[in-house]
Amino acid sequence: MSPTITTAGELTADDLPGTRPDGGQGAPVYDVTVVGAGVVGAAIARELARYRLRTALLDASDDIGNGTSKANTAILHTGFDAVPGSLEARLVREGQQRLRAYAAETGIPVERVGALLVAWDEEQLAALPALLAKAERNDYHAARLLDAGELRAREPHLGPGALGALEIPDESIICPWTTPLAYATQAVRAGVHLHLNCRVRHIDSGDDVHTLTTTRGTLHTRHLINAAGLHADELDRELGHDDFTVTPRRGQLIVFDKLARGLVGHILLPVPTAAGKGVLVAPTVFGNVLLGPTAEDLDDKTATGSTADAITMLREKGRRILPELLDEEVTAVYAGLRAATGQEDCRIRSRPDRRYIAVGGIRSTGLTASMAIAVHVMELLGDSGLDPGTPSELPPVTMPNLGEAFPRPYQDAGLIAADPAYGTLVCHCERVSAGEIRDALTGTVPPHSPDGLRRRTRAGNGRCQGFYCGAAVRALFEEART
Amino acid sequence: MTRRERTVDVLIVGGGPAGLGAGAELAASGAGRVEILEREQTAGGIPRHCHHGGFGGHTIGGGTTGPAYARGCVAAAVRAGAILRTGVTVTGWAGPLTVDTTAPTGLERITARAIVLATGARERPRSARLVPGSRPPGVYTTGELQQAVHLHRQRIGSRAVVIGNEPVGRAAADTLRVAGLDVVAMVTDQPSSRLAALTRPGDRTPVLGRTTVTALTGRERLTGVAVRHHDGRTTTLRCDTVVFTGDWIPDHELARRGELALDPGTRGPAYDAAHRTTGTGIFAVGNLLHGVESAGFALAEGRAAAAPVLRHLTTGAWPTGRTPLAVDAPLRWIAPNLIGPDGGLPLRGRFTLRTTGRLASPLFVVRQDGRELHRQRLLLPAVPDRAFHLRADWLDRVDPHGGTVRIAVR
């Protein structure tokens, strides 16, 4: 079966499930349509791909994982600090186990660096035992308290005044870009139709079928899954529900150069306060150091710009946590929007009578919980009258490694001997080879912009931000498009 | 892991003017096997994409163009007998004088008797300058812009703003015009230079002096550059392209990974007049030492480093405990910034300095441990976008066991 991905033009019968490549006719109706190809939507599509269902995955933008999923803190959480007993706590705990196993199988880079909740004053120090107890209530039993000496031994570059910490040895860092790409790749290869640049404008819900009017034409589906992230509330209202309102919460982050990586070993978390989870310093799987995020509630769902005030605030906080970090070069400044709903828990709501499931209010734990959310949604679908049949194993997928802690093609003599393109470096800062760029451009889910290529290969993502390779990478991208 | 292991006499990392100059001189002087590694497919460094005059000549607009200059540097090195290998990237250290490389022909581990680092400098991108706002396409550095236009003939846009008013900024504006764009303004946080206007009488581009960029706007594409003037007025310049020029930083990754001491001012390796870093047998030349001086200066430094490299190959001697040189604000850096024990003078008998702010006829005072070593007045103003110099004939007065030699300005 050749994969179906469409990106432009009116959706025609050929793109839809009714007409098969052999010319045979079927009902032009999808069994399930997932709106939103972020990490959660892609995970759901992948889960659906295990069944004999006609499934569509839609996204308003030109790429998968192009909203909240591409701009977060890239942490694989243990869920130690979730609200005990909440749906989110369960999904994070289960999702973490599933994604960890999936990552090992597919080559998604994960590093178990551990987290330290650092207490900077007596009040924060006094709060740590309660957090330890909360971790226990979340069925997380490896956390332990460190005194100031143990903390300093673990993180010698920490600023002065740290009094102690709670250690969470299993908190991990993960590649936020390879994860949804792996899901989407497997889903598309297994027959899920991916329609990009396909924004849902209007929905008519009949007795059997939802009719979706999109920017690229009309499609029909029996079941509808709303994984539209920041826009999930709008889609929900389109169906006549008013369960939640998404208030975009902006998180601005600063990425420091790889030469800073030696300054920090763990994810350094602040002790949470009433004002939120606060600003962290964390390594990334790409070998950088992340400082952020801010937490600003906005009304504009497109406000992904950074601001001078936030950069100043982050630098002040960072200077206290890891003073030497501020002497290092900055590689990137970015902002992402979390889909806050004013509720602590996520808002996954099934309406079996309407064959509709809303997966709303998925915030910073969405990446970690994605696979568990997908399984949960599948169960809810079964309850709403869909008989999916028996699941089958998906053919395994191997993702290109973008992680610094694992072998990369430029280090692999055998690979280069077999194909010299892997020894031809194009992006020098990130050591991305022509072979990897070619593979991404001809992959199952190829990029449709240099930015999409950047997320698949890291080309152009390094300290020079394209000074050396920007034009060459663009040339390769444009060559592949013609 | 299968790496081909080899040894050479001198390994030069970087095939720009500095590395090629060092290679040419060393090969001609009988240093043995002199190998230059260049990670780009074509050697020649940044001049390759500087399609303007002024290379190899001291008068504005004179000399030859960048690409011709780059070809000349390559030809001279090859003619002298240096082995030039392009498309070879040094990816790290495997020993004090051993590096690992990646190339289409495979992986190697090369040990040398001496290593010359000539890895050059790059412009700080928008992110490193902490310019807030959105992250749309259409944002360039001069280096990326010149490659896009001159090497790849890519479409850029229609209306551009250049951030910077130094020579590099003006080269960026010229490149934009070649690509068919209107340059709507040049923006600089420095006072706008009248000298620049006098030397470019045909150039009517408005220069907004004492103006800072406060944000970039646009989503699918850049729509504007928000700026604030020193008097508090703000405006947004409509454009679809912006070029951040100048603000150079040495490409010091290899130097840092090799644990060479860096100079806090230049951010390049600390080095003495003989181009010796703090790593035994490791020399450094060119804009890695001082982002950024001219290609001609880098070439001259490369050539000048050959004699000390040869001396080291013969004697094996390496100085310890050199006296550091440091500058006081508003001076930014001085190069060289270590004083060797052998009394060697820097290139042309003078130190190179840069300032962060304009200084009208500044008086330099050189002191060590409170003792004045030298005093010198500069007759011309020192300005941020240009190097100025300090005589080095006072070096024999330095106490080799004393503290840091400090350069202050009055």
Side-chain angles (χ1 to χ4, degrees), chain B residues 333-351:
Chain B
W333 52 252
I334 183 163
N337 30 54
L338 291 178
I339 299 172
D342 32 19
L345 291 183
L347 193 64
R348 295 170 193 149
R350 59 195 200 178
F351 290 93

Side-chain angles (χ1 to χ4, degrees), chain A residues 44-68:
Chain A
I44 295 168
R46 179 191 164 278
E47 187 63 30
L48 288 162
R50 299 172 64 223
Y51 299 86
R52 294 182 62 84
L53 296 167
R54 289 166 301 185
T55 301
L57 176 62
L58 313 186
D59 202 89
S61 83
D62 69 356
D63 204 355
I64 59 121
N66 209 7
T68 300

Side-chain angles (χ1 to χ4, degrees), chain A residues 10 21 75 78 84 162 165 167 179 200 229 303 347 452 471:
Chain A
E10 195 82 0
I75 291 172
T78 56
E167 184 189 30
T179 306
V200 176
R347 314 283 287 168

Side-chain angles (χ1 to χ4, degrees), chain A residues 107-112 285 401-411:
Chain A
I108 295 168
V110 172
E111 282 181 66
R112 183 179 164 278
V285 289
N401 168 41
L402 304 185
E404 204 75 348
F406 307 93
R408 297 263 313 277
Y410 79 89
Q411 299 162 310

Side-chain angles (χ1 to χ4, degrees), chain A residues 302 304-306 308 327-331 333 410-411 413 416 420 423-424 428 431 463 466-468 470-471 474-475, chain B residues 2 39-40 91 102-104 107 121-124 127-128 132-133 135 141 143-144 147-148 154 219 249 251 253 256 267:
Chain A
T302 64
T304 53
S306 56
D327 296 332
E328 298 291 342
E329 291 289 313
V330 168
T331 300
V333 177
Y410 79 89
Q411 299 162 310
I416 294 168
T424 305
H428 304 298
R431 293 173 185 162
R463 61 177 70 87
F467 174 89
Y468 290 115
R474 175 170 283 278
Chain B
T2 42
R39 63 189 189 180
E40 295 287 345
T91 57
T102 291
L107 306 183
R122 59 185 169 82
E123 290 166 297
R124 278 195 177 83
S127 52
R135 303 210 299 162
T141 49
E144 181 177 0
Q147 294 187 58
Q154 285 162 3
R219 287 180 60 76
I249 173 156
D251 218 356
E253 180 181 11
R256 280 192 66 179
R267 312 285 279 172

